Amino acid sequence: MIHRILTTLGLLVLLVLLPVLEIRDTHVFNPDWPPHARLHEVWQLTTNAGVSLVGLWLVWKRGAVQLASVLGLCMIGGALVAHGLAPAYGGALTYSGGPGGIILGVPAAVIVPLAACLTFIAAILLDRRGPRSTA
């Protein structure tokens, strides 16, 4: 059961937390962002929400924790990859005047995606150890 809860928590980051953090003047309604960048932001948020809903269905109706966790890893792991590649394409974790911060030497914008990735990995490992059903 804990593997289902971990996967659910990770998916809720994508379905609820990120939209709450990003549907505001720092991202979606940021007047400094080009309209096309805002379109991509909304596209990413709605795609993540839709895939997260599919993931929740997989976890709770099909018992497919590993598949749902892999989907979650692909979505939130992409944020970590984007952060890692930011110097190559001129991206940044924060913008001038925007929120930022460092927690234990790690940029705050990396903590949530990293924690979500770890919950998905833990769910996969716990699910692999659990009993197999034929359902």
Side-chain angles (χ1 to χ4, degrees), residues 33-126:
W33 282 20
H36 189 70
R38 291 191 299 250
L39 177 133
H40 276 277
E41 174 69 11
V42 172
W43 178 4
Q44 173 249 317
L45 289 170
T46 57
T47 300
N48 286 352
V51 176
S52 293
L53 289 171
V54 170
L56 291 170
W57 176 79
L58 286 167
V59 167
W60 294 103
K61 293 294 184 184
R62 295 296 208 180
V65 170
Q66 291 184 37
L67 177 57
S69 293
V70 167
L71 290 172
L73 273 171
C74 288
M75 291 184 290
I76 201 77
L80 294 176
V81 171
H83 292 322
L85 295 175
Y89 64 87
L93 284 172
T94 60
Y95 61 94
S96 180
I102 304 290
I103 301 170
L104 300 173
V106 179
V110 173
I111 300 262
V112 170
L114 183 58
C117 282
L118 293 174
T119 64
F120 289 130
I121 291 167
I124 289 168
L125 294 173
L126 289 169

Side-chain angles (χ1 to χ4, degrees), residues 24-36:
R24 55 177 49 188
D25 61 354
T26 60
H27 288 75
V28 172
F29 297 109
N30 187 335
D32 296 330
W33 282 20
H36 189 70

